[in-house]
Amino acid sequence: PGDLLSNDNDVWVSTNGSFWSQICRSGGWVGRWQHAATSHEGSLYLMGGWSDDGGYLKDIWKSVQGQRWSLVLADAPWGPRMFHIVVSLNGFMYLLGGQNANFFNDVWLSSDGKEWDRILDNAQW
């Protein structure tokens, strides 16, 4: 995999964390870093981040096997951000925090990546 600070849009896979293989040269999204990704209900999701070409991002992409990606949402309601975390739990994706010119400690919830609800404005962390 590339430089940690590079704006890439490729996809790599590993079965053991030591040896990696590139499975997709270009996911279709603009190259980025400090985005969030999670596995949810049999699909991979990629969200937000930073691009040297577009600044802070607020898009969501989805793939079943990591090779073909489709845009789920171009303008997520949680707004442009990087350094956020996304986890999947009990049928929902939770987006937590992040930053752009401001720091966020909000929490958002979605079952499908299309519809999002803010469930906390100001988490205690």
Side-chain angles (χ1 to χ4, degrees):
D3 181 328
L4 292 177
L5 299 180
S6 64
N7 285 257
D8 295 329
N9 65 349
D10 52 353
V11 180
W12 295 74
V13 65
S14 175
T15 58
N16 61 16
S18 295
F19 300 101
W20 291 84
S21 300
Q22 186 180 52
I23 61 169
C24 179
R25 289 180 156 265
S26 175
W29 61 83
V30 65
R32 66 190 65 207
W33 66 286
Q34 297 304 335
H35 51 279
T38 193
S39 173
H40 175 71
E41 302 292 312
S43 293
L44 298 171
Y45 287 83
L46 177 132
M47 302 175 198
W50 169 267
S51 171
D52 287 342
D53 297 328
Y56 298 104
L57 302 168
K58 56 182 175 177
D59 55 349
I60 301 172
W61 292 79
K62 177 181 177 179
S63 177
V64 176
Q65 296 179 335
Q67 295 172 326
R68 290 188 180 94
W69 292 80
S70 59
L71 180 64
V72 175
L73 197 58
D75 189 14
W78 34 259
R81 61 181 72 197
M82 61 191 282
F83 296 121
H84 52 296
I85 301 295
V86 178
V87 296
S88 176
L89 178 67
N90 297 329
F92 293 97
M93 288 182 282
Y94 294 84
L95 182 138
L96 302 97
Q99 76 175 72
N100 52 34
N102 301 302
F103 291 93
F104 300 104
N105 61 338
D106 52 352
V107 179
W108 292 77
L109 173 77
S110 176
S111 63
D112 61 5
K114 294 178 185 177
E115 301 291 328
W116 290 86
D117 293 310
R118 183 173 30 218
I119 60 172
L120 280 174
D121 287 326
N122 191 10
Q124 295 301 309
W125 31 266

